[in-house]
Amino acid sequence: MEKELTQDPINIVKIVLFGPESTGKTTLSKQLARHYNTVWTPEFAREYLQKKWNNERKTCEKEDLLPIAIGQMNLENKLGRKADKLLICDTDLLETKVYSEEFYGGTVDLKLSEAVDRNKYDLYLLTYIDTPWEEDDLRDRPEQRLEMFTAFENTLKKYKKNYILLKGDKETRLKNATEAIDKIIAAKDNLHSFSDSLQEINFLNNRDFNNTYDN
């Protein structure tokens, strides 16, 4: 179980979109992935809970949180190997922990709490609630957006996470996010690049082929 909730060791910059529902996290994740020509990890909970709603007409329950956390970490580890220096995470286990505390009487599975303490990210992008509420099968509590935002920000402060607050339109958010991310990337050395790895593999394969042909 511990391994299922633990980050694989890989030298990339990891950025987390963090905040309440319907605050533009997925939109910005896609924008950032395009901007940096890298990959982003979608929110596993949406696929998981949409299937649950479609099949059972039930929303998230407390016992769903650990499977969701495991699914999210599996996605992050899988896509991290395909990242070019930077991985954009639409969510992380700390966000799952916030929902556990806010929706289920303050209780959090010990395995989830331990994973939150272990896993590390370079920057959290906290998205403000100045975006229109977009209703779907899974989203609820639109009247509690400010309350949830406060819970998210207080959690970042409690855990002493490196974060910036993003407000405004899509262009403003993207500009402020990339300025902060560029500084982090510039300070890092020997970051893993999936495209560089492919080029190296292709070079070695071609070299081996030419050596064989020449012989």
Side-chain angles (χ1 to χ4, degrees), residues 95-112:
E95 182 156 324
T96 306
K97 186 173 188 288
V98 172
Y99 279 111
S100 181
E101 291 172 337
E102 294 299 314
F103 282 61
Y104 303 103
T107 61
V108 181
D109 188 287
L110 179 60
K111 300 179 186 66
L112 177 58

Side-chain angles (χ1 to χ4, degrees), residues 3-212:
K3 187 177 186 303
E4 293 177 309
L5 291 170
T6 300
Q7 292 171 320
D8 288 345
I10 183 170
N11 187 28
I12 54 176
V13 172
K14 288 190 174 184
I15 307 297
V16 180
L17 278 294
F18 199 75
E21 297 174 316
S22 197
T23 55
K25 297 191 295 294
T26 299
T27 297
L28 184 54
S29 292
K30 293 176 181 179
Q31 287 179 301
L32 289 169
R34 286 194 298 268
H35 179 86
Y36 290 103
N37 194 30
T38 189
V39 294
W40 66 285
T41 60
E43 188 179 6
F44 179 80
R46 293 204 63 81
E47 179 182 355
Y48 177 99
L49 294 174
Q50 188 65 58
K51 287 180 179 177
K52 179 170 182 169
W53 174 257
N54 292 344
N55 295 332
E56 306 174 42
R57 282 298 187 265
K58 290 183 179 180
T59 56
C60 187
E61 298 171 289
K62 185 178 179 181
E63 56 266 27
D64 292 316
L65 296 180
L66 204 54
I68 286 172
I70 291 171
Q72 190 65 46
M73 188 50 57
N74 179 60
L75 267 180
E76 181 181 315
N77 287 334
K78 179 181 178 180
L79 291 170
R81 294 188 288 273
K82 298 182 179 180
D84 275 330
K85 300 181 181 180
L86 172 73
L87 180 66
I88 307 299
C89 302
D90 195 1
T91 187
D92 75 333
L93 302 192
L94 184 57
E95 182 156 324
T96 306
K97 186 173 188 288
V98 172
Y99 279 111
S100 181
E101 291 172 337
E102 294 299 314
F103 282 61
Y104 303 103
T107 61
V108 181
D109 188 287
L110 179 60
K111 300 179 186 66
L112 177 58
S113 287
E114 290 173 345
V116 165
D117 291 336
R118 287 193 307 271
N119 295 345
K120 306 298 180 185
Y121 299 88
D122 294 277
L123 178 67
Y124 283 79
L125 303 176
L126 177 62
T127 50
Y128 194 59
I129 57 174
D130 56 345
T131 53
W133 175 266
E134 295 184 8
E135 189 172 353
D136 62 20
D137 292 337
L138 305 178
R139 290 172 174 161
D140 60 5
R141 307 190 186 187
E143 74 285 353
Q144 295 182 19
R145 296 182 82 193
L146 181 57
E147 178 183 332
M148 288 302 298
F149 173 82
T150 301
F152 276 102
E153 184 164 34
N154 287 343
T155 297
L156 291 175
K157 292 176 179 178
K158 175 183 176 180
Y159 283 89
K160 296 181 172 58
K161 298 296 185 181
N162 182 32
Y163 80 94
I164 61 170
L165 174 62
L166 296 180
K167 294 183 176 182
D169 59 24
K170 296 176 184 178
E171 291 73 22
T172 300
R173 290 181 176 210
L174 179 62
K175 177 180 179 292
N176 291 336
T178 53
E179 286 177 354
I181 293 170
D182 286 346
K183 292 178 183 178
I184 294 173
I185 293 175
K188 300 275 188 174
D189 294 321
N190 302 315
L191 291 170
H192 165 81
S193 170
F194 182 68
S195 58
D196 289 349
S197 298
L198 281 181
Q199 290 177 5
E200 182 177 354
I201 290 170
N202 290 334
F203 171 78
L204 293 173
N205 287 342
N206 289 334
R207 185 188 66 181
D208 292 342
F209 174 81
N210 291 332
N211 288 341
T212 301

